[in-house]
Each structure stands twice: as C-alpha cells, then as structure tokens.
Amino acid sequence: MKPETPHPSRSARHLLPQGEKGWSRRTILASSLALPLAACDRFASAEATPLDVPPLKSIAPAPFGTAIKASHIDDPDWVALARANVSQLTPEWEMKMEYILANGLDRPNFDRTDRIAAFAQSNGMGLHGHTLIWYSQGQEAFAGLDNAAFDRAFDGYIATVAGRYRGKVRSWDVVNEPILDDGSAMRDCHWSQRYGQDGYILRAFEKARIADPQAVLFLNEYNQESVPAKGAQFLKLVERLLKAGCPLQGLGLQSHLWIDIPEGVIAAYMREVAQFGLPIHVSELDCTLRTDNRLDLRKQADRIAAQGARVTELTSAFAALPKAQQFAFTIWGLRDTDSWYRQADKDDGKDKPLPFDSFGRPNPMAAAIAAGFKTPA
Ligand code: XIL
C-alpha cells in the first residue's frame, strides 16, 4: 500500500483557510485567477462533450447532501446547483467548536449556523450536524479549566449546541476522527486526557442523546477503507462502544478517497462495516487526483478514469446496502473550486475532486456517482 497521502485535514489544515474563504465563482471571475481557471476549465470542457448527468438527488437511493459554508448562500450559482442536486446539507466549518467558541466559552457564535439551518429549512433540505467533539478543536477554549469547570464546559457545550438545533438537524457527527492516521491506536487529545480514550466518546454521545433525543447520532472517521489498520481499529471501537451501551446509532465514512486505492477494498470495507446493522453515512466524499508519488506521470485523463472507478465502487457499494442502512450520501462540496483541496496553498489549479467544475457543469465524477447508484454492487 503506497504511503498514506497526507490527509488535508492533517497535513494541510494549517494551510487551509479557517472558515469561509472558499471562493465563489463570482470571486474567481472577478479575481486575477479568472483567466487561467477559466482557460483550464474551458479547455477541459472544449475537449469533452458536456456530460448528461441527471440531478444527483433524483438518482440517489437516500438523501444526497453536500458541505455548505454560509457564504455559499450569497452565491446564486451555488444555490441553483444545490437546489438541483442535493436534499441535505452539512456545515463545512461554521458548526464546529472552532467557529462557535472563537470568542470564548461564554460567547458562542451561532450566526452562520443559524443562517445555514434557516436556508436548509426554507429549501426543504435536511441538515446534518457536524461536529460536536473533535480532537483537533477546543484546546484554547478549554485551556486552564479545572476538572469541574471542564466537565461543565464539555457537557454544557453539547447541551447548548445540540439543544439549539434540536428539531432542525436530522443527525449529528457527535465525535469526529477518534483514531490515529496509521490506525495503530486511538488518538490522545485534551478530551481523552480528561475522560479516557473511549470515555470522552461515551460521555459525548450520552450528553447528545439527552440534548436531542430524535437526532441520529454518528461516529465519523476517514480513511477506514484506504488504511486497513485504521478500518480495523474503527470496527473495534464501534464494537466496544456498542457493548458499553453507547447510544451510537450511525457510522460515518468520510470517504476522502484517493485514486490509487486498490480495486475492491472500498466495497469490501463497506460490507464489513455494514455488519453492525447501523445506518451508514458516506459523509464527506471527494476524490483528489493528486498523489504523493512524485514519479506519477499519468495523464489527467488517466487519473480521472482511476477516480471514476473508485467513486463508482463506493457509490455502488452504498447502493447495495439494505435500505434501512442507507442514511445519506454526502459530497464534500459541489464544485471543484469549493473544495478544501482547491483552497490549500498547494493548490495546483488542476485538481477535480468534486462532481462539478467551477462553472457548475458535471465532471466525470458526477457520471461515476450516477453509474454507481445505477448498479448496486
Ligand atoms: C475541513 C474543511 O473542509 C476545511 O474548509 C476546514 O478548513 C478544515 O476542515 N474531516 C472532517 C471535516 O471531518 O470537518 C474537514 O473539513 C475535512 C476532514
């Protein structure tokens, strides 16, 4: 297995704009980037005939979602594309602790998530809450608290946030990314230091259950399918949590895919994780064309073909799940230029990790998704 491609949330987070600096098409066209980007996309589209892909929500066997930033609501192109293709939304950044507690524990920000929730409601779209407790956030706001204050803050945060959106979200990623990248063990973090590696997860789910008895409560992770040890560690964690009586009701497979995942691995993992009988959320699908193999001289067309094969494999495996386990299928953005891969400083301007190009036209990835929904594994 080739060395793990650094996961952007790990390797590039410090590069990624924290927040909504994702660029709308309007911004791009108004910026100096307009010409090369337009040329890049236009050149690509000049080569290929436009793809005829039905609206993705119309062919998905479950709610079809996308990540959203509050700024997308002000981009009419994005809104039109979302209304046509998705029936569910996941806040990409503003529903996270880093944004909500940016002004400290006693001054939570809900302005942008309230706006997203209202947009979802007025457009008849579901809302998936992301994410209550994440190893990578909260250190500053919780720093220096004694145990009693830490407990009040931990429990209070979940009660306040999950309570505020009770009846507005259908589900929550209660805990995000609890396992080390190499799958060797659970992550240690400020939460596990206080409550133990499983303890903070158990506590978070229990508090979330109290705050919103109706929401479906998920554990969310990435690379389960592409790093076998991580997938195995995830399955063991789920087993421990269920045995401990954790109100864990759904499993999130982020599915930030790579083009070089060996054929069959994605589908095999989907079948394995489905054995718990729980609803499954493909929660953050994208598939970068980039690899960390410096000697990779493949043409863009070959990379796109590899991307299509992996995306169809995932989509087909999801479509083959029992209906009760098909919770939702969410892409981590609509247009290539909405992707976090295209906001990092290392952006090569050529990556096409999402189903639509910067002008909202279907990419081959959209056709790959449609093909997978059409042919359940
Ligand atoms: C990413 C967002 O896409 C970026 O815009 C932000 O700067 C960092 O977080 N796994 C997750 C998501 O669960 O919350 C991360 O989203 C991507 C990895």
Side-chain angles (χ1 to χ4, degrees):
M1 170 75 72
K2 73 174 186 58
E4 181 198 1
T5 299
H7 189 282
S9 73
R10 176 169 59 84
S11 62
R13 179 182 290 115
H14 61 288
L15 298 178
L16 293 178
Q18 292 313 312
E20 58 161 353
K21 288 181 224 155
W23 292 353
S24 74
R25 178 167 166 248
R26 286 172 189 280
T27 311
I28 288 183
L29 292 179
S31 75
S32 58
L33 276 178
L35 284 179
L37 262 187
C40 173
D41 276 318
R42 204 160 283 145
F43 174 72
S45 64
E47 274 183 333
T49 51
L51 290 166
D52 178 19
V53 179
L56 295 175
K57 69 179 179 182
S58 70
I59 53 173
F64 192 89
T66 186
I68 179 174
K69 293 187 180 91
S71 57
H72 287 137
I73 299 170
D74 303 314
D75 174 351
D77 296 331
W78 187 93
V79 170
L81 196 59
R83 283 175 174 153
N85 287 283
V86 307
S87 56
Q88 182 168 299
L89 300 171
T90 299
E92 183 172 355
W93 186 70
E94 289 114 335
M95 206 174 207
K96 291 172 182 170
M97 192 178 274
E98 186 178 57
Y99 180 80
I100 291 176
L101 295 188
N103 299 322
L105 275 168
D106 53 358
R107 286 187 296 148
N109 297 320
F110 293 113
D111 53 344
R112 295 187 193 176
T113 311
D114 286 352
R115 199 167 170 230
I116 290 171
F119 176 84
Q121 196 155 26
S122 60
N123 284 277
M125 297 175 183
L127 185 64
H128 175 73
H130 176 77
T131 178
L132 290 170
I133 297 296
W134 192 11
Y135 77 92
S136 76
Q137 298 194 354
Q139 296 90 330
E140 303 76 15
F142 280 69
L145 299 181
D146 65 26
N147 286 348
F150 193 103
D151 297 350
R152 281 196 304 277
F154 185 91
D155 299 348
Y157 179 80
I158 295 172
T160 302
V161 179
R164 185 181 186 90
Y165 296 105
R166 179 173 174 169
K168 294 187 167 75
V169 300
R170 52 182 302 239
S171 48
W172 272 104
D173 287 333
V174 176
V175 169
N176 198 35
E177 303 181 357
I179 296 168
L180 285 175
D181 280 345
D182 65 3
S184 59
M186 296 284 288
R187 290 184 194 279
D188 280 320
C189 61
H190 46 308
W191 311 124
S192 63
Q193 277 148 23
R194 173 76 187 105
Y195 302 117
Q197 291 178 336
D198 288 7
Y200 83 91
I201 301 173
L202 287 163
R203 189 181 185 106
F205 273 85
E206 282 152 17
K207 299 307 176 189
R209 177 71 301 144
I210 295 165
D212 187 346
Q214 271 69 49
V216 183
L217 304 182
F218 280 81
L219 180 70
N220 195 44
E221 187 56 272
Y222 66 91
N223 285 2
Q224 299 101 313
E225 65 287 301
S226 41
V227 180
K230 189 165 189 180
Q233 195 69 248
F234 184 79
L235 299 175
K236 284 192 285 187
L237 171 59
V238 171
E239 200 161 358
R240 287 200 310 274
L241 293 173
L242 293 175
K243 276 189 182 143
C246 177
L248 166 60
Q249 298 168 299
L251 303 176
L253 280 56
Q254 291 184 14
S255 305
H256 294 291
L257 302 183
W258 311 332
I259 58 176
D260 289 336
I261 298 173
E263 184 178 352
V265 165
I266 294 169
Y269 189 78
M270 183 72 79
R271 287 191 296 273
E272 203 171 2
V273 73
Q275 287 174 33
F276 287 107
L278 291 175
I280 287 175
H281 183 196
V282 169
S283 57
E284 306 181 15
L285 171 62
D286 50 28
C287 186
T288 178
L289 299 177
R290 299 199 317 238
T291 66
D292 55 357
N293 172 0
R294 303 275 172 276
L295 299 178
D296 185 348
L297 303 175
R298 278 175 292 191
K299 296 195 304 289
Q300 183 86 327
D302 295 339
R303 294 167 184 262
I304 286 173
Q307 177 195 61
R310 298 294 64 79
V311 167
T312 296
E313 182 181 334
L314 173 77
T315 315
S316 174
F318 179 84
L321 291 170
K323 193 72 191 154
Q325 290 188 262
Q326 296 173 338
F327 179 75
F329 193 99
T330 297
I331 51 179
W332 207 236
L334 289 170
R335 304 164 301 190
D336 294 326
T337 40
D338 296 321
S339 172
W340 62 324
Y341 284 110
R342 293 291 297 270
Q343 291 145 37
D345 293 9
K346 293 184 295 189
D347 177 17
D348 60 7
K350 297 195 289 285
D351 205 357
K352 302 185 77 64
L354 291 172
F356 298 97
D357 71 13
S358 60
F359 294 92
R361 296 168 303 200
N363 280 329
M365 184 171 163
I369 290 172
F373 284 148
K374 209 166 146 194
T375 52

